[in-house]
Amino acid sequence: MWWGRSAGGRWTGDNARVIVDCAIYQNGCRTEGPEDLSDALDAARASGDAFLWIGMYEPTEQEFEHVSREFGLHKLAVEDALTAHQRPKLEVYDDSLFVVLKPVMYDEAADTVTTGELMLFIGDSFVVTVRHGEGAALAAVRRRLEHEPEVLRHGPTAVLYAVSDAVVDHYIEVAAELQADLEELEAEVFSPNPSDSKNTAARIYGFKRQVLEFRRATNPLLQPMERLAFGEVPFVHEHAQPFFRDVADHLTRASEYIDGLDRLLSDALAAHLAQMGVRQNDDVRKISAWAAMAAVPTMVAGIYGMNFEHMPELRQVWGYPVVVAVMVGICLGLHRMFKRRGWL
């Protein structure tokens, strides 16, 4: 026996570590089937209206070998599923479809976007899901489908739709969270009392990197979803196309949302750099104004400090106060002029 379930419902056998769940669904309902994988697949195919759904988490090559052999999965798709680090895509093979999705998670405390990987093998009477990363657990999707037998009756197509819909809907939720954080960042950029400029620029740049990571998950998925929505793809029920069109529409909205975030971040960075330039110009003007006022007494004191004997007013009683008064008057005049021009 390769796998089975104990009395408590836990998976046992050689691959118990990677088997998340496995069940036969017939006429939209979960049923108990043979414990042997080969027998379960044969039973699903024999019934005509049933399919087998097996979910796995980060299997090794040895752990996945039996599954790939029993289901007749293409070796190139198997290699991609085991290696991970794939772009979202849809590939059609003789006996199955291979779909790669990249679920997105956002850690608001750390301001970081992380992506997992979710691979689906869709056949005539089976679904194999392979998950990499901590996010994108499919337990909630499976439970939701099990409470919607009218959807599950569409077979493996229903699983592909439900998983794609859950992943894409979460894109929109993460984009909304990023939008809220971006509004806080914009308020900081345009604050009259900005914080450390270097820290703000670093935050904007880091935010752009998170958005770029997000775009790598969404943009490549547009074409596969359009193929599922408008093209004739094997192993996909024709009546499911309107559902995939809805997923494609949500994905387009998420992609446009992310593109908008990227443009706003670029504008915020440009505005921040412009503000830094304006503040630097203000600082330079203030320094220049004070330097100009300091130059007047420095010049006069320098002239009278040259120790010549024959200089005007040297021996006059009123010479010193007059020179000091002239210096103060010139400095006050410069201060007034700079104040009018907004330099001080």
Side-chain angles (χ1 to χ4, degrees):
M1 180 189 298
W2 176 73
W3 59 270
R5 282 216 264 189
S6 65
R10 295 179 56 86
W11 290 100
T12 61
D14 297 337
N15 286 23
R17 184 186 67 85
V18 298
I19 297 293
V20 178
D21 199 353
C22 185
I24 293 177
Y25 295 89
Q26 185 171 15
N27 197 26
C29 299
R30 181 169 181 150
T31 63
E32 295 296 331
E35 292 184 344
D36 183 78
L37 179 62
S38 180
D39 294 342
L41 183 58
D42 291 340
R45 284 174 171 164
S47 66
D49 60 349
F51 69 95
L52 176 66
W53 180 3
I54 178 171
M56 308 184 74
Y57 177 70
E58 295 185 353
T60 64
E61 183 177 356
Q62 293 74 21
E63 292 168 335
F64 198 58
E65 180 181 2
H66 186 72
V67 174
S68 62
R69 184 173 63 253
E70 290 293 339
F71 289 93
L73 306 179
H74 197 281
K75 63 179 182 179
L76 294 178
V78 171
E79 181 181 352
D80 288 345
L82 294 174
T83 306
H85 304 294
Q86 304 294 318
R87 297 175 73 251
K89 60 183 178 179
L90 166 64
E91 295 181 348
V92 180
Y93 295 99
D94 293 337
D95 299 322
S96 63
L97 293 180
F98 179 60
V99 181
V100 179
L101 304 173
K102 293 184 75 71
V104 171
M105 291 73 66
Y106 181 56
D107 186 350
E108 189 173 358
D111 291 337
T112 56
V113 172
T114 57
T115 56
E117 291 196 43
L118 189 58
M119 288 82 167
L120 296 93
F121 295 88
I122 308 296
D124 57 347
S125 55
F126 68 86
V127 178
V128 178
T129 56
V130 180
R131 183 167 60 91
H132 293 268
E134 295 300 324
L138 298 179
V141 177
R142 190 184 286 261
R143 286 194 300 269
R144 179 164 63 88
L145 276 175
E146 290 176 354
H147 285 85
E148 297 177 353
E150 67 282 359
V151 177
L152 265 179
R153 289 191 184 98
H154 290 90
T157 303
V159 178
L160 177 58
Y161 158 71
V163 172
S164 302
D165 185 58
V167 170
V168 172
D169 284 349
H170 193 60
Y171 286 163
I172 298 176
E173 295 175 7
V174 172
E177 293 177 0
L178 287 173
Q179 176 67 38
D181 287 351
L182 176 58
E183 290 174 358
E184 295 179 3
L185 189 57
E186 286 178 329
E188 179 181 329
V189 169
F190 295 102
S191 172
N193 298 312
S195 58
D196 184 14
S197 298
K198 292 183 180 179
N199 184 50
T200 301
R203 283 191 61 194
I204 296 175
Y205 182 74
F207 211 127
K208 283 186 69 69
R209 288 188 63 87
Q210 305 309 316
V211 171
L212 176 61
E213 184 71 17
F214 201 166
R215 293 179 70 176
R216 288 174 179 167
T218 58
N219 287 5
L221 189 59
L222 290 169
Q223 184 180 15
M225 283 298 121
E226 289 177 356
R227 289 179 62 189
L228 291 169
F230 302 103
E232 295 183 0
V233 180
F235 312 108
V236 175
H237 200 282
E238 59 180 3
H239 297 300
Q241 289 187 354
F243 295 94
F244 285 108
R245 281 199 293 269
D246 182 67
V247 176
D249 178 63
H250 291 179
L251 180 60
T252 301
R253 285 172 49 201
S255 181
E256 291 174 350
Y257 212 156
I258 298 163
D259 290 341
L261 289 176
D262 187 60
R263 288 192 296 270
L264 286 174
L265 281 168
S266 297
D267 293 342
L269 182 59
H272 175 67
L273 295 177
Q275 284 186 329
M276 287 182 61
V278 170
R279 288 196 293 269
Q280 288 175 350
N281 289 336
D282 289 340
D283 294 339
V284 169
R285 286 189 299 180
K286 290 179 181 179
I287 294 172
S288 300
W290 287 111
M293 288 186 290
V296 174
T298 301
M299 179 187 67
V300 176
I303 293 173
Y304 279 87
M306 290 189 291
N307 297 324
F308 290 107
E309 291 186 7
H310 304 288
M311 293 182 67
E313 295 90 26
L314 260 183
R315 301 187 182 277
Q316 299 295 331
V317 176
W318 45 263
Y320 179 77
V322 168
V323 170
V324 172
V326 169
M327 288 191 294
V328 172
I330 294 175
C331 290
L332 290 176
L334 289 173
H335 185 274
R336 184 178 181 183
M337 181 183 69
F338 292 143
K339 198 75 172 178
R340 283 183 177 178
R341 295 185 177 181
W343 287 29
L344 293 175

